[in-house]
Amino acid sequence: MSKVLIVGGGAAGMMAAISARERGADVTILERNNRVGRKILATGNGRCNYTNINLSIDNYHGSNPKFAYSFIARFGVEETIDFFERLGITPAIEDDGRVFPLSFQSSSVLDVLRFELEYLDIEVITDAYVVDIKKTDRFIVTLEDGRKIYGDRVILATGGNAAPTTGSDGNGYLLARKMGHSIKEVFPGLVQLKLEGNFFRQVDGVKFQGVAGLYNRDRLIREDYGDILFTNYGISGPPILQLSRTALEHLRKKNNIELKISIVHTKSQNELYEYLQYRFAFMQRKTMERALIGLINKRLIIPILKKIKIGKDKQIAHISNEEIARLSSILTDLRFNIIEGKSWRDAQVTAGGISTDEIDNSTMESKLIRGLFFAGEIVDIDGDCGGFNLQWAWSSGYIAGQNAAAI
């Protein structure tokens, strides 16, 4: 019976442990925290969006996003839903394809995984911070307290740099680099954006449904729709998280990048211009401030009027067509320069990681060191928001565990 050591007890690590144990291996998880799966509890706003039925390879990013395909093709959405249903998780599928436990509690997913670890008699060593891994005839894993753990195979599933309070501090990259692996530059993915300008303190906390788009010299790169939230540093909300990875990648390459926000997204600029002329015809005695109530969030009115230099007390009767054009333009095309993303503490996932060129694309085994495997966020694969990152953790963990046990 082979001894498989798994460094990291997150989503990918627990799946790898269960998979390896089911193939007959003796498995030990080495988890730096005092319990496994802390990051799972924070996923899906505490509801755990554990996969997405609308998954496609286009939802993944990295130097070679197609690397993820062979693993998701073998252990994908259907297999994941079946796996968790056997453990007790009844799926609840929302309109956008996101899959949650019917309990809508992240703790349910973590609980059934922990119960399965116990049932399969998988050893879990907590407060076990790994500082070194060496390969002789076997693997020697050294812990911070000096203990040495021996195994025939090692699966690195330490996560990345995102959400360091859950234990993801980038230590896995240091361990991989010591063993000769190269790391693609890491940066926060799925993170709020800091924007240039003094607009934001006035609108901090304003939420609305709109469209956000990334533009490079007026060429649309990507856009998304949903709840957008202005903050005192810039902007947040699901559409912003979806765009953040692409935005930060362009910033790293010194590309010109702009964020466009459509506060009124149901009409084009010309359509809104015509509508405002019609709307204002009934409001000749109202001020601009009062005339916009019911069209956009009330707290946006004065900051928007300031940006286009129209007085809030100006009567509609005295508004020119040129001023209506400026208003229709800013409400459909509000532009900002992106400064940077927020910190690792705020990020949901890590972009970059261990180069997929150095990992076998059918087993997740290192091409440099036989018996060393990888799973999850530590690899240079990251997904969109919506269950895609957890699906990568399940898929890569399952395949890594199978193959680590089979050698």
Side-chain angles (χ1 to χ4, degrees), residues 65-77:
K66 291 183 180 177
F67 177 85
Y69 183 76
S70 63
F71 304 101
I72 292 170
R74 284 181 285 158
F75 190 87
V77 176

Side-chain angles (χ1 to χ4, degrees), residues 358-394:
E358 300 168 358
I359 303 173
D360 187 286
N361 64 4
S362 62
T363 65
M364 292 299 295
E365 185 177 16
S366 166
K367 292 180 180 179
L368 310 183
I369 299 177
R370 184 165 173 77
L372 175 65
F373 294 79
F374 303 100
E377 193 176 340
I378 193 173
V379 178
D380 179 24
I381 292 290
D382 59 285
D384 291 333
C385 189
F388 304 107
N389 287 292
L390 271 179
Q391 182 59 62
W392 168 243
W394 311 134

